Amino acid sequence: EDTIRVGLAIPDVSAFSNSGDQAARYQVVVDEINDNGGVIGRQIDLVIVEWDLLDSSGFDAACVELTEDEEVFAVVSRTPANFGDMTCFTDLGDTVTINGLDLDAAQAEQSDGKLFSVLSDTSAALLGGIELLSDELADAKIAITAADDRGGQATADELAALLTDLGFDVVATTFSTVAYSADPVASLTEQDRFAEIWNSEGATHVIGIGNGVVGAAYAIDNLDLEGDMVLITPNLNPRTLNSL
């Protein structure tokens, strides 16, 4: 009647970087919530389990401990895609689960409405927000740019069809093939080539899909433009903003 047991599944990422005491940072947040009256008068009782990011059996063990042994009301985690099946929590304990990273659409469907993410799906957000930009895009000539992996081409095709149906003019679509992390020089050279295409087609707006936003901004900045070319993206996380 006076507490809510919340499970925290923390992946141990020390093999990749020193992220400090993750559990302590979550506890600070919980303490602040509890000091301000908790959740609808209930204090949060935090149950913390860490698991090795490189050990799938460790993730399964954490799932069993939180849902079957501790019987928590809800689970909060930051589990990268493909490092653990988040439906373990919703299947074993019928437990509401919130992932602090991107959500696998198939897992969300399988969870019967119990699996959530604090991050919106950027593709869905982009497609859903286009109509809100109708005034901004009036008389615009639009280029679309995406990476050719992670479903970028499919999203670009869907976006182009939606824009056309709404009466907008799509003048170019480009797909990057070189990752910046693999070859920075080749990647930026490719982005420069794309910007020349956008410019030659008279694009006034470029819609970026995925993580290529910074490269597109770099390439647009390199153009000798008389006016502006507007870059639109749903992918404005803190790291991207810092890079921009």
Side-chain angles (χ1 to χ4, degrees), residues 87-121:
T87 58
C88 176
F89 299 109
T90 58
D91 288 348
L92 283 184
D94 208 24
T95 306
V96 173
T97 305
I98 302 171
N99 193 25
L101 296 175
D102 289 325
L103 195 60
D104 182 278
Q107 291 182 20
E109 181 73 20
Q110 183 183 332
S111 75
D112 193 28
K114 297 181 180 67
L115 179 57
F116 301 88
S117 172
V118 296
L119 299 179
S120 65
D121 179 279

Short mmCIF file of all heavy atoms in Angstrom, two decimals, residues 87-121:
data_model
loop_
_atom_site.label_atom_id
_atom_site.label_comp_id
_atom_site.label_asym_id
_atom_site.label_seq_id
_atom_site.Cartn_x
_atom_site.Cartn_y
_atom_site.Cartn_z
N THR A 87 11.39 -8.83 -24.02
CA THR A 87 10.12 -9.50 -23.74
C THR A 87 10.28 -10.57 -22.67
O THR A 87 9.27 -11.11 -22.19
CB THR A 87 9.53 -10.14 -25.01
OG1 THR A 87 10.48 -11.07 -25.56
CG2 THR A 87 9.20 -9.09 -26.05
N CYS A 88 11.50 -10.86 -22.26
CA CYS A 88 11.71 -11.78 -21.14
C CYS A 88 10.97 -11.27 -19.91
O CYS A 88 10.29 -12.03 -19.21
CB CYS A 88 13.20 -11.91 -20.84
SG CYS A 88 13.57 -12.92 -19.38
N PHE A 89 11.07 -9.96 -19.65
CA PHE A 89 10.41 -9.38 -18.47
C PHE A 89 8.89 -9.43 -18.60
O PHE A 89 8.19 -9.78 -17.66
CB PHE A 89 10.85 -7.93 -18.28
CG PHE A 89 12.32 -7.75 -18.06
CD1 PHE A 89 13.13 -7.18 -19.03
CD2 PHE A 89 12.91 -8.16 -16.86
CE1 PHE A 89 14.48 -7.01 -18.83
CE2 PHE A 89 14.27 -7.99 -16.65
CZ PHE A 89 15.06 -7.43 -17.64
N THR A 90 8.38 -9.10 -19.79
CA THR A 90 6.93 -9.07 -19.97
C THR A 90 6.34 -10.47 -20.05
O THR A 90 5.19 -10.69 -19.66
CB THR A 90 6.55 -8.29 -21.24
OG1 THR A 90 7.18 -8.89 -22.39
CG2 THR A 90 7.02 -6.84 -21.13
N ASP A 91 7.13 -11.46 -20.51
CA ASP A 91 6.63 -12.83 -20.62
C ASP A 91 6.66 -13.56 -19.29
O ASP A 91 5.68 -14.19 -18.89
CB ASP A 91 7.45 -13.62 -21.65
CG ASP A 91 7.17 -13.20 -23.08
OD1 ASP A 91 6.18 -12.46 -23.27
OD2 ASP A 91 7.93 -13.59 -23.98
N LEU A 92 7.79 -13.49 -18.57
CA LEU A 92 7.94 -14.26 -17.33
C LEU A 92 7.07 -13.73 -16.21
O LEU A 92 6.42 -14.49 -15.50
CB LEU A 92 9.41 -14.25 -16.88
CG LEU A 92 10.38 -15.17 -17.62
CD1 LEU A 92 11.75 -15.11 -16.96
CD2 LEU A 92 9.88 -16.60 -17.63
N GLY A 93 7.07 -12.42 -16.03
CA GLY A 93 6.35 -11.85 -14.90
C GLY A 93 5.18 -10.99 -15.27
O GLY A 93 4.59 -10.36 -14.39
N ASP A 94 4.86 -10.93 -16.57
CA ASP A 94 3.80 -10.03 -17.02
C ASP A 94 4.08 -8.61 -16.51
O ASP A 94 3.19 -7.89 -16.05
CB ASP A 94 2.44 -10.51 -16.51
CG ASP A 94 1.30 -10.10 -17.42
OD1 ASP A 94 1.55 -9.87 -18.61
OD2 ASP A 94 0.16 -9.99 -16.94
N THR A 95 5.37 -8.24 -16.59
CA THR A 95 5.88 -7.04 -15.93
C THR A 95 6.00 -5.88 -16.90
O THR A 95 6.61 -6.01 -17.97
CB THR A 95 7.26 -7.33 -15.30
OG1 THR A 95 7.16 -8.47 -14.45
CG2 THR A 95 7.74 -6.15 -14.49
N VAL A 96 5.44 -4.75 -16.53
CA VAL A 96 5.62 -3.53 -17.32
C VAL A 96 7.11 -3.21 -17.39
O VAL A 96 7.80 -3.19 -16.36
CB VAL A 96 4.86 -2.36 -16.69
CG1 VAL A 96 5.19 -1.06 -17.42
CG2 VAL A 96 3.36 -2.62 -16.73
N THR A 97 7.62 -2.95 -18.58
CA THR A 97 9.06 -2.75 -18.78
C THR A 97 9.32 -1.51 -19.60
O THR A 97 8.70 -1.31 -20.65
CB THR A 97 9.69 -3.98 -19.48
OG1 THR A 97 9.38 -5.16 -18.71
CG2 THR A 97 11.18 -3.83 -19.59
N ILE A 98 10.24 -0.68 -19.13
CA ILE A 98 10.61 0.55 -19.83
C ILE A 98 12.09 0.47 -20.17
O ILE A 98 12.94 0.34 -19.28
CB ILE A 98 10.36 1.80 -18.96
CG1 ILE A 98 8.89 1.86 -18.55
CG2 ILE A 98 10.77 3.06 -19.71
CD1 ILE A 98 8.59 2.92 -17.52
N ASN A 99 12.40 0.51 -21.47
CA ASN A 99 13.79 0.49 -21.90
C ASN A 99 14.25 1.91 -22.22
O ASN A 99 13.55 2.65 -22.92
CB ASN A 99 13.96 -0.41 -23.13
CG ASN A 99 15.41 -0.71 -23.42
OD1 ASN A 99 16.26 -0.67 -22.53
ND2 ASN A 99 15.72 -1.03 -24.66
N GLY A 100 15.41 2.28 -21.72
CA GLY A 100 15.93 3.63 -21.93
C GLY A 100 16.62 3.81 -23.26
O GLY A 100 17.21 4.86 -23.51
N LEU A 101 16.59 2.78 -24.11
CA LEU A 101 17.18 2.87 -25.44
C LEU A 101 16.11 2.57 -26.48
O LEU A 101 14.94 2.40 -26.15
CB LEU A 101 18.36 1.90 -25.56
CG LEU A 101 19.55 2.21 -24.64
CD1 LEU A 101 20.60 1.11 -24.75
CD2 LEU A 101 20.17 3.56 -24.98
N ASP A 102 16.51 2.50 -27.74
CA ASP A 102 15.56 2.24 -28.81
C ASP A 102 14.81 0.93 -28.58
O ASP A 102 15.33 0.00 -27.96
CB ASP A 102 16.27 2.17 -30.16
CG ASP A 102 16.77 3.53 -30.61
OD1 ASP A 102 16.07 4.51 -30.32
OD2 ASP A 102 17.83 3.61 -31.23
N LEU A 103 13.61 0.87 -29.11
CA LEU A 103 12.75 -0.27 -28.90
C LEU A 103 12.64 -1.08 -30.17
O LEU A 103 12.38 -0.55 -31.25
CB LEU A 103 11.36 0.23 -28.48
CG LEU A 103 10.40 -0.79 -27.88
CD1 LEU A 103 11.00 -1.40 -26.62
CD2 LEU A 103 9.09 -0.12 -27.55
N ASP A 104 12.85 -2.39 -30.06
CA ASP A 104 12.66 -3.29 -31.19
C ASP A 104 11.16 -3.44 -31.45
O ASP A 104 10.41 -3.84 -30.56
CB ASP A 104 13.29 -4.65 -30.87
CG ASP A 104 13.17 -5.62 -32.03
OD1 ASP A 104 12.09 -6.24 -32.15
OD2 ASP A 104 14.13 -5.76 -32.80
N ALA A 105 10.73 -3.12 -32.65
CA ALA A 105 9.30 -3.11 -32.96
C ALA A 105 8.67 -4.48 -32.77
O ALA A 105 7.54 -4.59 -32.26
CB ALA A 105 9.09 -2.62 -34.39
N ALA A 106 9.38 -5.55 -33.16
CA ALA A 106 8.83 -6.90 -33.02
C ALA A 106 8.66 -7.26 -31.54
O ALA A 106 7.66 -7.87 -31.15
CB ALA A 106 9.75 -7.91 -33.70
N GLN A 107 9.63 -6.85 -30.71
CA GLN A 107 9.51 -7.13 -29.28
C GLN A 107 8.35 -6.35 -28.66
O GLN A 107 7.62 -6.87 -27.81
CB GLN A 107 10.82 -6.78 -28.57
CG GLN A 107 11.98 -7.69 -28.92
CD GLN A 107 13.25 -7.34 -28.16
OE1 GLN A 107 13.21 -6.69 -27.13
NE2 GLN A 107 14.38 -7.79 -28.67
N ALA A 108 8.19 -5.11 -29.09
CA ALA A 108 7.08 -4.30 -28.57
C ALA A 108 5.75 -4.93 -28.92
O ALA A 108 4.83 -4.99 -28.10
CB ALA A 108 7.17 -2.89 -29.13
N GLU A 109 5.63 -5.46 -30.14
CA GLU A 109 4.40 -6.11 -30.57
C GLU A 109 4.14 -7.37 -29.76
O GLU A 109 3.01 -7.66 -29.35
CB GLU A 109 4.50 -6.45 -32.06
CG GLU A 109 3.27 -7.11 -32.66
CD GLU A 109 2.11 -6.14 -32.83
OE1 GLU A 109 2.35 -4.92 -32.86
OE2 GLU A 109 0.97 -6.62 -32.91
N GLN A 110 5.21 -8.10 -29.49
CA GLN A 110 5.09 -9.37 -28.76
C GLN A 110 4.71 -9.15 -27.29
O GLN A 110 4.13 -10.02 -26.65
CB GLN A 110 6.41 -10.14 -28.84
CG GLN A 110 6.41 -11.51 -28.18
CD GLN A 110 7.77 -12.17 -28.24
OE1 GLN A 110 8.56 -11.90 -29.15
NE2 GLN A 110 8.07 -13.03 -27.28
N SER A 111 5.02 -7.98 -26.76
CA SER A 111 4.85 -7.72 -25.32
C SER A 111 3.40 -7.46 -24.92
O SER A 111 3.12 -7.27 -23.74
CB SER A 111 5.70 -6.53 -24.90
OG SER A 111 5.11 -5.31 -25.33
N ASP A 112 2.51 -7.38 -25.88
CA ASP A 112 1.09 -7.14 -25.60
C ASP A 112 0.89 -5.81 -24.85
O ASP A 112 0.11 -5.72 -23.90
CB ASP A 112 0.50 -8.30 -24.79
CG ASP A 112 -1.02 -8.27 -24.73
OD1 ASP A 112 -1.63 -7.73 -25.67
OD2 ASP A 112 -1.59 -8.76 -23.74
N GLY A 113 1.62 -4.81 -25.28
CA GLY A 113 1.42 -3.46 -24.75
C GLY A 113 2.11 -3.18 -23.43
O GLY A 113 1.84 -2.15 -22.80
N LYS A 114 3.03 -4.04 -23.00
CA LYS A 114 3.69 -3.83 -21.70
C LYS A 114 5.12 -3.34 -21.83
O LYS A 114 5.77 -3.04 -20.82
CB LYS A 114 3.65 -5.13 -20.89
CG LYS A 114 2.25 -5.59 -20.53
CD LYS A 114 2.27 -6.86 -19.71
CE LYS A 114 0.85 -7.28 -19.36
NZ LYS A 114 0.09 -7.70 -20.56
N LEU A 115 5.65 -3.27 -23.05
CA LEU A 115 7.03 -2.85 -23.26
C LEU A 115 7.05 -1.46 -23.88
O LEU A 115 6.42 -1.22 -24.92
CB LEU A 115 7.75 -3.85 -24.17
CG LEU A 115 9.20 -3.56 -24.52
CD1 LEU A 115 10.06 -3.44 -23.28
CD2 LEU A 115 9.75 -4.67 -25.43
N PHE A 116 7.79 -0.55 -23.23
CA PHE A 116 7.83 0.84 -23.67
C PHE A 116 9.28 1.30 -23.80
O PHE A 116 10.20 0.66 -23.30
CB PHE A 116 7.12 1.76 -22.65
CG PHE A 116 5.69 1.42 -22.41
CD1 PHE A 116 5.35 0.49 -21.44
CD2 PHE A 116 4.68 2.02 -23.15
CE1 PHE A 116 4.02 0.16 -21.21
CE2 PHE A 116 3.35 1.70 -22.92
CZ PHE A 116 3.02 0.77 -21.96
N SER A 117 9.46 2.45 -24.46
CA SER A 117 10.76 3.09 -24.52
C SER A 117 10.58 4.58 -24.26
O SER A 117 9.55 5.15 -24.60
CB SER A 117 11.41 2.89 -25.90
OG SER A 117 12.60 3.67 -26.00
N VAL A 118 11.59 5.19 -23.64
CA VAL A 118 11.53 6.63 -23.43
C VAL A 118 11.95 7.38 -24.69
O VAL A 118 11.82 8.60 -24.77
CB VAL A 118 12.44 7.08 -22.26
CG1 VAL A 118 11.95 6.47 -20.96
CG2 VAL A 118 13.89 6.68 -22.51
N LEU A 119 12.45 6.65 -25.67
CA LEU A 119 12.83 7.26 -26.94
C LEU A 119 11.77 6.96 -27.99
O LEU A 119 11.33 5.83 -28.11
CB LEU A 119 14.19 6.73 -27.43
CG LEU A 119 15.39 6.96 -26.52
CD1 LEU A 119 16.63 6.35 -27.16
CD2 LEU A 119 15.61 8.44 -26.29
N SER A 120 11.39 7.96 -28.75
CA SER A 120 10.46 7.71 -29.84
C SER A 120 11.21 7.04 -30.99
O SER A 120 12.41 7.20 -31.13
CB SER A 120 9.84 9.02 -30.33
OG SER A 120 10.83 9.84 -30.90
N ASP A 121 10.49 6.28 -31.77
CA ASP A 121 11.05 5.73 -32.99
C ASP A 121 11.26 6.89 -33.96
O ASP A 121 10.31 7.56 -34.36
CB ASP A 121 10.10 4.69 -33.59
CG ASP A 121 10.64 4.10 -34.88
OD1 ASP A 121 10.48 4.77 -35.92
OD2 ASP A 121 11.20 3.01 -34.83
#
